[in-house]
Amino acid sequence: MMQRWRHYLLGAALAVLGLTTGCSILPKSEPQTRFNLPAAALDTHVPQQKGVLFVAVPQGNRLISSNYVLIQPEHTEIQVYKGTLWADTVPSLLRERLITAFSEAQLFDAISGDAALRSDLTLETYVQRFQVQFENDQPIVHVQADAKLVDSNTASIVRSQRFYVTQPAQSKDVVHLVAAFGQATDQLSLELIQWLSR
């Protein structure tokens, strides 16, 4: 009886030891590299508009609203760049970039990202594309957004326009892809500034 009890204790001790040494049947999570959206100073010379502009968080489908780096190698297939994530969701990164660009350009008397504050105009955007597509094996970043300028007091659309920017990447390396995303977003910011300043 004593011998059987010793075997039981030994088995229990070995089981605990196995758990504490990191043995696990669960799959190991892949290491993720997170990237911020690069931004360059924009050379803008536009007249300052009166009032306060509120920049709403851009909308998009579920994939675009995530923090995945999206790749489209074929016509309709969407893939996720393995082991790589944006530092925040795409809409959040994009709004941060737009607010910074608009503020640096002194586009309005004030730029707001807080919906609780009073504003004269609201910029709403719906992002249709924010991905890398391949053309003849060349990676090209595609950014497409539908923008609406809305009168905050009457909730009426002042004007709307679609913006579509493409930017070739130097290679398929993730660092070059991220750099191309930054350049495409800079161009989108510049075109929005020119559109809003009309």
Side-chain angles (χ1 to χ4, degrees):
M1 184 71 179
M2 183 62 69
Q3 189 73 14
R4 184 180 300 172
W5 180 249
R6 285 178 179 170
H7 282 302
Y8 173 77
L9 288 177
L10 181 60
L14 289 174
V16 171
L17 182 62
L19 289 173
T20 57
T21 54
C23 279
S24 174
I25 60 172
L26 297 174
K28 291 184 179 179
S29 60
E30 294 253 348
Q32 301 284 350
T33 303
R34 294 177 181 265
F35 288 90
N36 281 310
L37 191 60
L42 302 180
D43 185 14
T44 57
H45 301 283
V46 294
Q48 187 178 69
Q49 309 296 303
K50 295 294 182 182
V52 177
L53 175 70
F54 168 63
V55 182
V57 177
Q59 302 297 308
N61 64 34
R62 186 178 300 178
L63 275 177
I64 287 177
S65 297
S66 70
N67 60 346
Y68 295 126
V69 179
L70 301 180
I71 308 290
Q72 187 173 355
E74 302 295 339
H75 294 296
T76 57
E77 179 187 9
I78 298 288
Q79 297 179 358
V80 173
Y81 200 106
K82 188 176 180 181
T84 302
L85 294 172
W86 292 113
D88 204 339
T89 64
V90 168
S92 295
L93 290 177
L94 189 53
R95 181 171 77 153
E96 182 180 326
R97 175 60 186 130
L98 293 179
I99 288 176
T100 299
F102 297 166
S103 299
E104 290 176 348
Q106 299 182 340
L107 186 57
F108 283 82
D109 291 333
I111 305 295
S112 171
D114 188 345
L117 300 178
R118 182 191 171 280
S119 64
D120 300 290
L121 295 166
T122 298
L123 176 67
E124 297 180 359
T125 50
Y126 188 90
V127 183
Q128 299 278 3
R129 296 185 189 181
F130 199 86
Q131 63 213 36
V132 177
Q133 295 178 208
F134 286 87
E135 299 175 15
N136 298 323
D137 209 36
Q138 167 70 42
I140 300 176
V141 168
H142 290 249
V143 176
Q144 180 179 324
D146 295 332
K148 290 187 296 186
L149 185 63
V150 178
D151 187 314
S152 301
N153 299 312
T154 63
S156 58
I157 297 175
V158 178
R159 59 178 178 268
S160 61
Q161 184 168 321
R162 172 167 290 181
F163 295 87
Y164 190 19
V165 177
T166 60
Q167 176 63 49
Q170 291 184 20
S171 75
K172 299 176 184 178
D173 185 84
V174 66
V175 174
H176 291 150
L177 297 181
V178 169
F181 271 109
Q183 293 169 329
T185 307
D186 287 342
Q187 181 61 34
L188 175 66
S189 301
L190 183 59
E191 291 185 13
L192 279 167
I193 288 171
Q194 294 169 344
W195 179 67
L196 291 168
S197 66
R198 291 198 319 223

